Amino acid sequence: GHIAQFDLLTDLPNRSQFIDRLEGAIARAVRSKALLGVMLLNLDHFKSVNTTFGLRLGDAVLKHMGARFRPCTRTSDSIARLGGDEFSAILEGLESEDGATIAAERMRAALAKPLVIDDRELVVTATAGVAFYPQHGSTVGELLDHADLALSHAKERSRGRCALYSPELALVSRREEQRRSAALERLARLTRREREVLDILVAGNANKMIAYMLGTSTRTIENHRARIMDKMEARSLAELMRIVVDAGEVPKGRAG
């Protein structure tokens, strides 16, 4: 009964209940020819909350978020917790796409007030992605995939905002994926030693420093560097940095 359909921590509908409700909402939208929005919402930097303060506090944050989200939606809407720090909302009978942005703003405003848990004050922000029926898909799968793509796009650009799906995003995403796999292929050409040199190089160290760190001569590092540039097909250090970032590798000295 209730337990199978609701998330124990927040008492919001769970993933399977959400999908059932979304199927119902799509059927209603087909009949009424109305606009339907599907929003996916992630809490920003939630992993670091768990790591810094422990899972118990992380759970308390999620519970508070559930309570804050509930009053944000209209009675026709449905908000659920899909798992982890991922929430979702079905926005029915929208007049226009702007309606989804207004809903996202309401949710962000609900988060803006600091949470006080165990005498600790925490401010939690969230990033959202939205896809619409009928223009972005007619099935649960398509709508969720496209909302997820919009969410990923928002996270990469600037957290704490809401991005609406557009077909261009799929194109950008495909291009980024192609760049990433090309960059990973280039990285795979490097020997283990060259990989070490590359990591220290992109962290902003000069040849002399690298030679000192790896206990070798400057000339050896220069040879490594030339081979790395050649294998990575980079004409400059800036281009080398870009390829490493494309591969999804965070330069060790610049992490954060």
Side-chain angles (χ1 to χ4, degrees):
H2 186 85
I3 286 177
Q5 296 180 326
F6 286 80
D7 167 53
L8 288 171
L9 190 63
T10 59
D11 205 35
L12 290 173
N14 62 16
R15 181 181 284 273
S16 67
Q17 170 74 336
F18 176 76
I19 286 168
D20 281 354
R21 288 187 181 187
L22 183 51
E23 279 170 350
I26 291 171
R28 283 189 292 280
V30 170
R31 287 196 299 273
S32 64
K33 299 199 169 26
L35 184 64
L36 167 72
V38 178
M39 180 191 294
L40 292 180
L41 189 124
N42 271 180
L43 303 183
D44 297 327
H45 308 298
F46 185 68
K47 276 193 188 74
S48 64
V49 171
N50 276 337
T51 315
T52 313
F53 302 114
L55 292 174
R56 197 180 65 79
L57 191 108
D59 280 354
V61 168
L62 291 170
K63 202 170 180 155
H64 281 282
M65 291 302 108
R68 286 195 182 182
F69 284 149
R70 208 179 275 107
C72 290
T73 44
R74 301 165 308 165
T75 46
S76 59
D77 299 332
S78 182
I79 187 150
R81 181 185 173 214
L82 299 188
D85 63 324
E86 188 168 44
F87 293 84
S88 54
I90 300 167
L91 310 168
E92 290 198 60
L94 296 173
E95 297 290 317
S96 71
E97 293 188 358
D98 290 345
T101 315
I102 293 163
E105 279 308 320
R106 269 205 306 268
M107 289 182 175
R108 288 226 299 277
L111 294 185
K113 280 211 322 273
L115 282 175
V116 181
I117 303 168
D118 292 349
D119 297 329
R120 277 207 185 86
E121 206 172 81
L122 291 175
V123 175
V124 181
T125 57
T127 303
V130 185
F132 298 96
Y133 169 89
Q135 56 272 54
H136 303 148
S138 53
T139 66
V140 165
E142 284 172 339
L143 290 171
L144 285 176
D145 281 351
H146 289 158
D148 195 46
L149 205 66
L151 174 63
S152 300
H153 180 78
K155 275 186 185 166
E156 278 161 25
R157 300 307 176 282
S158 63
R159 288 172 184 263
R161 58 182 276 259
C162 174
L164 306 183
Y165 175 80
S166 70
E168 292 82 60
L169 281 193
L171 208 65
V172 169
S173 162
R174 257 204 306 281
R175 271 206 300 271
E176 282 173 356
E177 200 42 57
Q178 282 162 350
R179 277 218 310 268
R180 180 175 157 75
S181 58
L184 285 170
E185 270 171 38
R186 291 180 195 183
L187 275 177
R189 298 172 190 168
L190 303 182
T191 64
R192 224 177 83 207
R193 190 55 154 182
E194 286 164 357
R195 195 51 218 267
E196 276 182 307
V197 174
L198 173 71
D199 282 342
I200 306 173
L201 192 64
V202 293
N205 290 290
N207 286 1
K208 219 181 218 152
M209 186 64 189
I210 298 173
Y212 173 71
M213 286 165 87
L214 296 180
T216 182
S217 71
T218 313
R219 171 160 296 168
T220 308
I221 296 301
E222 271 165 16
N223 291 341
H224 278 317
R225 185 176 176 152
R227 275 205 304 277
I228 289 166
M229 298 295 260
D230 187 42
K231 287 180 177 180
M232 296 294 284
E233 297 171 34
R235 289 181 298 276
S236 66
L237 192 56
E239 193 179 354
L240 184 67
M241 289 284 273
R242 189 188 56 72
I243 295 166
V244 172
V245 170
D246 280 345
E249 304 279 327
V250 179
K252 289 190 172 53
R254 306 276 171 92

